[in-house]
């Protein structure tokens, strides 16, 4: 992704909108997750997946472009990725290399004042509806955490909505069932948020995406939360 080849609807520089690790302008800070955005280069096989070269944007003020080699785990591979395709990979830095942490698919939503990472089509659709509904509510801030939040013991809610004078609103969108690890994690997160809700520290909403009707109820509850 070269400077000048991609522009957004408001004309902002991509560096102002995306999480772009670029070794020439920003060092990697600890284990913090980021999003690598660029054009897919050559790929090579490894025992646990594929190494993808991602050609990033030029470093500001230089003619040097950052290239990243990302180990994309077998379960995260795209069905038909092709050289030159624009890719967005959520990665972490581990054992001195970049590793994917979720499927490499078209899941980066660019917003007027930033970007949000979503993990499924269901979440994408929910995000579009939510953000459209909040266009005229500058008093409401929407957080789509990329990492766990210290205030919630390292948990990463799907959404955190904040308004001055109100406890934050936590939204979780459940998307799987029948997988022991996921179900156990889900129940622990649900119990954690409900306990904080009883103490008045937050408001908790959840939606099982297998039931489309529940989405409308969650959106109504968000409206009620904003009015109180």
């Amino acid at each position: 992704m070269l400077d000048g080849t991609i522009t957004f609807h408001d004309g902002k520089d991509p560096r102002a909108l995306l999480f772009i690790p670029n070794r020439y302008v920003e060092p990697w800070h600890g284990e913090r997750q980021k999003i690598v955005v660029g054009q897919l280069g050559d790929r090579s096989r490894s025992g646990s997946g594929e190494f993808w070269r991602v050609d990033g944007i030029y470093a500001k003020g230089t003619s040097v472009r950052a290239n990243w080699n990302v180990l994309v785990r077998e379960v995260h591979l795209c069905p038909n990725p092709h050289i030159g395709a624009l890719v967005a990979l959520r990665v972490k830095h581990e054992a001195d290399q970049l590793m994917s942490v979720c499927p490499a698919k078209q899941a980066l939503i660019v917003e007027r004042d930033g970007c949000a990472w979503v993990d499924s089509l269901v979440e994408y659709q929910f995000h579009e509806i939510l953000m459209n509904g909040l266009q005229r509510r500058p008093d409401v801030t929407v957080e789509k955490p990329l990492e766990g939040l210290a205030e919630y013991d390292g948990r990463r809610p799907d959404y955190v909505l904040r308004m001055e004078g109100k406890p934050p609103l936590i939204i979780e969108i459940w998307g799987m069932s029948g997988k022991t690890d996921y179900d156990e994690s889900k129940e622990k997160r649900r119990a954690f948020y409900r306990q904080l809700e009883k103490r008045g520290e937050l408001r908790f909403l959840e939606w099982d995406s297998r039931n489309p009707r529940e989405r409308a109820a969650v959106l109504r509850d968000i409206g009620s939360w904003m009015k109180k």
Side-chain angles (χ1 to χ4, degrees):
M1 185 168 69
L2 305 180
D3 286 354
T5 61
I6 293 180
T7 57
F8 298 108
H9 65 277
D10 60 1
K12 285 189 176 180
D13 186 313
R15 284 181 295 256
L17 293 164
L18 306 176
F19 298 95
I20 305 177
N22 186 318
R23 63 176 173 269
Y24 298 105
V25 295
E26 181 187 2
W28 195 278
H29 297 290
E31 294 300 315
R32 181 167 173 246
Q33 293 183 17
K34 299 188 181 182
I35 295 174
V36 172
V37 178
Q39 290 176 310
L40 180 62
D42 295 329
R43 287 173 286 141
S44 58
R45 296 289 303 175
S46 75
S48 55
E50 291 184 347
F51 276 100
W52 290 15
R53 193 188 81 238
V54 180
D55 296 325
I57 66 173
Y58 283 113
K60 189 173 183 179
T62 77
S63 59
V64 182
R65 181 167 63 174
N67 296 317
W68 298 92
N69 289 317
V70 180
L71 178 61
V72 181
R73 294 173 52 202
E74 200 72 50
V75 295
H76 293 166
L77 295 178
C78 288
N80 296 298
H82 60 275
I83 301 298
L86 181 64
V87 293
L89 307 177
R90 195 170 116 214
V91 301
K92 65 180 178 180
H93 192 260
E94 187 173 286
D96 294 325
Q97 68 182 24
L98 295 184
M99 301 179 63
S100 65
V101 295
C102 70
K105 55 190 175 184
Q106 198 170 14
L108 189 70
I109 300 176
V110 177
E111 298 293 344
R112 183 173 59 249
D113 298 315
C115 67
W117 180 270
V118 296
D119 295 315
S120 67
L121 178 60
V122 166
E123 203 170 289
Y124 173 88
Q125 293 170 339
F126 180 85
H127 187 90
E128 290 287 289
I129 293 172
L130 176 63
M131 299 307 293
N132 285 338
L134 293 176
Q135 280 184 345
R136 298 183 179 181
R137 293 300 304 259
D139 56 327
V140 179
T141 60
V142 178
E143 296 176 16
K144 190 79 175 68
L146 188 62
E147 302 177 284
L149 302 179
E151 63 185 303
Y152 301 123
D153 290 348
R155 291 169 176 80
R156 183 174 71 93
D158 287 320
Y159 288 92
V160 182
L161 274 60
R162 302 183 192 272
M163 282 184 70
E164 188 175 353
K166 294 178 180 288
L169 174 64
I170 300 293
I171 303 172
E172 287 281 11
I173 301 174
W174 314 120
M176 295 189 209
S177 64
K179 294 188 177 182
T180 303
D181 291 346
Y182 182 86
D183 290 341
E184 290 178 355
S185 174
K186 172 182 173 180
E187 290 306 316
K188 288 180 181 179
R189 282 182 286 168
R190 177 185 278 159
F192 176 82
Y193 292 130
R194 284 178 174 170
Q195 183 179 28
L196 293 184
E197 186 174 42
K198 287 182 180 179
R199 300 207 300 251
E201 297 181 26
L202 56 79
R203 174 85 167 87
F204 175 55
L205 295 177
E206 57 183 327
W207 170 40
D208 186 336
S209 62
R210 295 168 300 171
N211 186 344
R213 293 183 180 179
E214 287 187 9
R215 184 178 70 183
V218 168
L219 293 169
R220 285 196 300 269
D221 287 342
I222 293 173
S224 298
W225 170 81
M226 291 189 295
K227 293 176 182 177
K228 292 180 180 178

